[in-house]
Amino acid sequence: MKSKILLNLSLFALLISSLGTSLHAQTYGKNGMVVSDHHLSSEVGVSILKKGGNAIDAAVATALSLAVTHPEAGNIGGGGFIVFMKADGDVTTFDFREKAPLAASPTMFLDENGEIRDNSNHKGLLSVGVPGTVAGLYQAHQKYGKLPWGELVQPAIDQAKNGFPMSFGLYRAALQVSKRDSSYDILQNFFRGPDGEVVAPGELWKQPALAQTLEAIRDQGRDGFYKGAVAEEIERYMKANGGIITQEDLAKYEAVERKPVKTTFKDFEIFSMPPPSSGGVALIEIMNLMEEADISKIEFNSTAYVHLVAEAMRRAFADRAEFLGDPDFNPEMPIDHLISKDFAKSRFENLDLTQASKSDSSKFGQLYGGDHTTHFSVIDKDGNAISLTYTLENSYGAGMGSDKLGFIFNNEMGDFNPVPGITTSTGQIGSDPNLVAPEKRMLSSMTPTIVAKDHKPYLVIGSPGGRTIINTVFQTVLNVLAYDMRIDRAIEAMKIHHQWLPDRILYERNLLSPDTRDALEAMGHTLIPTTNIGVLMGITYDARLRAYVGAADSASEDGAAKGY
Ligand code: DON
């Protein structure tokens, strides 16, 4: 009886903290920090750090917990990237991006007229890539983790089995997705309780099927997902519903440890994700141009600032579209050239500081977009840092999956170039490096990044946002390194986005003055207002306080920084 009262009291405290208070204050930690899209998952990460786990352990537990608490993007049915700075200053990355299935081909989405059939690269089971998340987390843990694997999976199982309180933010999404058409099969009942109603704010939302899948992963490691009963059910479900992923695809999937791409800016070192993400290469191209232009002398948010930043973005996105794809299929990519300081110098020479240049529609660029992805940042007491971004591509991915397994498949195949050879001014890209091929990884924009000072982590940062990710992360890095902003201010400050094609600047509504917009238009820019750009989760180090400082973007309704 007493324990029941205690349980109810602690649940009540949990509800108060999730429903009644702001989660977005800047937070301090002497020994470690986790900042993620759900406060309960940040707490899971911190609980692992407190048990003596390192940043990798905390990241594994946080990622699996987000698959329960933040199902629009937290996942075991998708993929992503880890950038990992070890306490000794060495940096490595893990690529667990989804792969095209063995039965995929460059023209798989086209009808007899060469046009995309029924949005099939984004919707339905052909849009699903072979998931990488479990393999990536497992591989990172095998190599660098400290605590037993099972202890890291258990908190997610507990959250799925016992439930956690529905927040207002999640409830809003739950109402929306439960009404989607029935081809989004798993979403129909995803958020409903035993009474058939969408679970209301403050009530416990339980996911028993997902708990069972997570138990297989706890007990058998990666094989619990890629072999045995889960893999059999994935193949059965795919076959029954027109999908092409087989047990062979699953058994063959491997995550890859890769070298980061890096550059310097003032006395900082910047490490980010190499291809198959375009994020790191583009971020570095833009940062190098900022150094060349001596951006610190240009006032933040001025006309000159927006112009320079947009022109740099335009160029980096053109290169992204022309050159980048899966490195295992494109061994000749000119990455060293693109991220070199000499290249930035030559680029700066033909950048007009008074006039907008024009994106050439016969050349390169891509649409921005996608709905959701999630990033989290972790640091432990020894100074190991993790920057992890993973995704299902759109919010709730393909919106499809087996009720028996309880997780949602990604729709990441939409990140491949869908029509070979066709590049349009509206932003569809047809260049070779990112065409579909069996077992190839689709190009990503995810940009998990770590900035170091004196070989120690100084800023751990990343964001969702499709192609806007690159520019969101870039501007936040710039805000901290060039404009000395506090982490929370750097995250909230006005962001713009330019991606070569379509040729326009998106800016956050109400955050750019009309005078500045007029001046930019007079220089030849087109400006389009949009809602917030990015959902950043960041950690910095305050040397004077000898403490980590974390902040979650206020665009994340349930997100929070938790330090200890
Ligand atoms: O990997 C990529 O670049 C995209 N699939 C990410 C999608 C995304 O960020 C959507 N989120 N807002």
Side-chain angles (χ1 to χ4, degrees):
M1 180 67 189
K2 197 169 159 204
S3 68
K4 199 159 178 199
I5 292 174
L6 276 178
L7 184 73
N8 283 340
L9 276 178
S10 62
L11 261 182
F12 182 67
L14 203 66
L15 279 183
I16 295 284
S17 73
S18 58
L19 294 183
T21 59
S22 165
L23 299 163
H24 294 291
Q26 181 163 281
T27 303
Y28 296 86
K30 203 101 196 100
N31 299 301
M33 173 83 63
V34 182
V35 192
S36 84
D37 246 317
H38 203 290
H39 59 103
L40 295 176
S41 298
S42 300
E43 261 163 27
V44 162
V46 167
S47 75
I48 296 294
L49 295 178
K50 284 183 178 166
K51 265 181 155 179
N54 63 16
I56 287 274
D57 294 323
V60 168
T62 305
L64 293 171
S65 167
L66 284 166
V68 180
T69 60
H70 188 65
E72 69 177 274
N75 70 79
I76 55 174
F81 304 115
I82 289 174
V83 175
F84 172 34
M85 173 173 253
K86 299 170 220 165
D88 64 7
D90 187 35
V91 182
T92 188
T93 78
F94 287 92
D95 163 9
F96 51 100
R97 182 71 161 164
E98 299 91 327
K99 281 182 156 193
L102 290 160
S105 77
T107 51
M108 65 186 280
F109 300 117
L110 306 186
D111 62 18
E112 54 288 358
N113 302 319
E115 276 161 22
I116 298 171
R117 191 186 317 105
D118 302 330
N119 198 23
S120 57
N121 55 336
H122 296 295
K123 188 164 186 240
L125 288 182
L126 285 188
S127 73
V128 182
V130 182
T133 296
V134 175
L137 298 178
Y138 191 70
Q139 192 188 65
H141 174 261
Q142 288 292 101
K143 185 138 184 207
Y144 296 111
K146 251 168 90 182
L147 297 184
W149 171 255
E151 279 185 37
L152 310 179
V153 188
Q154 193 58 45
I157 296 172
D158 295 341
Q159 286 174 322
K161 200 180 252 177
N162 306 331
F164 68 94
M166 177 68 87
S167 68
F168 280 103
L170 189 56
Y171 182 64
R172 184 189 302 114
L175 289 179
Q176 256 169 23
V177 303
S178 306
K179 282 196 302 229
R180 281 199 189 165
D181 75 62
S182 60
S183 65
Y184 296 100
D185 53 13
I186 197 171
L187 295 185
Q188 303 299 309
N189 296 315
F190 201 67
F191 288 107
R192 296 183 199 277
D195 61 358
E197 296 297 319
V198 173
V199 174
E203 287 179 8
L204 292 180
W205 176 45
K206 302 183 184 177
Q207 300 169 78
L210 178 59
Q212 233 176 20
T213 303
L214 288 167
E215 278 167 356
I217 293 167
R218 175 194 62 196
D219 298 340
Q220 298 157 52
R222 63 157 278 152
D223 285 355
F225 186 87
Y226 293 93
K227 292 186 178 156
V230 171
E232 278 165 31
E233 174 57 18
I234 292 175
E235 184 178 87
R236 186 209 61 78
Y237 169 83
M238 285 279 161
K239 277 202 176 123
N241 296 285
I244 57 173
I245 293 179
T246 62
Q247 290 188 66
E248 190 187 356
D249 282 308
L250 293 162
K252 283 187 94 168
Y253 185 88
E254 295 287 348
V256 189
E257 189 171 358
R258 300 188 193 274
K259 273 203 179 112
V261 283
K262 60 179 182 182
T263 192
T264 55
F265 182 84
K266 302 204 288 193
D267 50 349
F268 300 100
E269 284 177 293
I270 301 172
F271 299 91
S272 194
M273 195 65 209
S277 184
S278 58
V281 172
L283 168 73
I284 288 176
E285 273 194 69
I286 302 173
M287 282 306 293
N288 286 345
L289 250 170
M290 292 303 112
E291 191 176 61
E292 194 57 39
D294 209 357
I295 182 83
S296 311
K297 298 218 172 81
I298 298 177
E299 197 155 329
F300 177 73
N301 237 7
S302 61
T303 305
Y305 167 88
V306 176
H307 173 69
L308 176 64
V309 161
E311 290 297 319
M313 291 170 174
R314 180 200 300 277
R315 285 157 176 76
F317 270 82
D319 295 335
R320 168 192 189 277
E322 187 167 2
F323 296 116
L324 301 185
D326 183 343
D328 298 340
F329 285 70
N330 297 284
E332 311 274 287
M333 285 187 293
I335 293 176
D336 291 343
H337 173 64
L338 294 174
I339 65 175
S340 70
K341 302 271 184 190
D342 280 350
F343 181 59
K345 222 182 245 350
S346 65
R347 267 285 157 90
F348 189 59
E349 275 163 14
N350 64 23
L351 193 158
D352 187 337
L353 291 172
T354 63
Q355 278 297 313
S357 44
K358 285 273 164 273
S359 297
D360 181 342
S361 61
S362 68
K363 286 209 177 159
F364 294 95
Q366 278 200 0
L367 287 173
Y368 75 98
D371 252 20
H372 238 86
T373 293
T374 186
H375 175 84
F376 64 86
S377 298
V378 180
I379 204 152
D380 68 21
K381 65 176 175 15
D382 299 319
N384 297 293
I386 293 278
S387 188
L388 190 155
T389 315
Y390 71 152
T391 187
L392 293 169
E393 161 59 358
N394 287 146
S395 270
Y396 302 98
M400 299 184 77
S402 161
D403 287 337
K404 294 201 181 85
L405 300 175
F407 71 87
I408 305 169
F409 286 114
N410 68 81
N411 62 338
E412 218 75 57
M413 293 290 283
D415 278 355
F416 278 116
N417 295 348
V419 190
I422 304 294
T423 296
T424 66
S425 61
T426 54
Q428 185 174 293
I429 301 300
S431 60
D432 285 351
N434 189 36
L435 295 180
V436 185
E439 293 197 85
K440 190 172 178 180
R441 293 176 151 95
M442 56 297 280
L443 186 66
S444 172
S445 301
M446 292 186 281
T447 315
T449 296
I450 297 177
V451 178
K453 194 173 178 188
D454 304 326
H455 311 295
K456 301 239 171 311
Y458 182 77
L459 170 65
V460 188
I461 194 78
S463 175
R467 287 161 192 85
T468 66
I469 294 172
I470 296 166
N471 294 333
T472 304
V473 171
F474 149 62
Q475 285 165 99
T476 311
V477 169
L478 195 68
N479 290 346
V480 174
L481 305 194
Y483 292 112
D484 291 327
M485 288 188 206
R486 263 168 51 159
I487 183 69
D488 56 345
R489 301 280 159 80
I491 284 174
E492 304 291 336
M494 198 285 297
K495 307 277 184 315
I496 66 156
H497 174 69
H498 193 299
Q499 58 166 45
W500 182 248
L501 291 169
D503 188 349
R504 61 193 186 186
I505 297 174
L506 298 183
Y507 68 95
E508 289 183 308
R509 195 187 302 280
N510 300 328
L511 297 184
L512 196 59
S513 80
D515 301 356
T516 309
R517 292 188 331 247
D518 287 349
L520 287 160
E521 274 165 7
M523 293 169 90
H525 291 288
T526 302
L527 285 115
I528 311 272
T530 183
T531 51
N532 69 287
I533 296 178
V535 187
L536 292 133
M537 302 287 153
I539 303 174
T540 48
Y541 182 67
D542 186 320
R544 257 185 312 170
L545 298 178
R546 293 214 213 117
Y548 301 119
V549 190
D553 198 320
S554 60
S556 169
E557 291 198 81
D558 294 326
K562 299 277 173 184
Y564 86 105

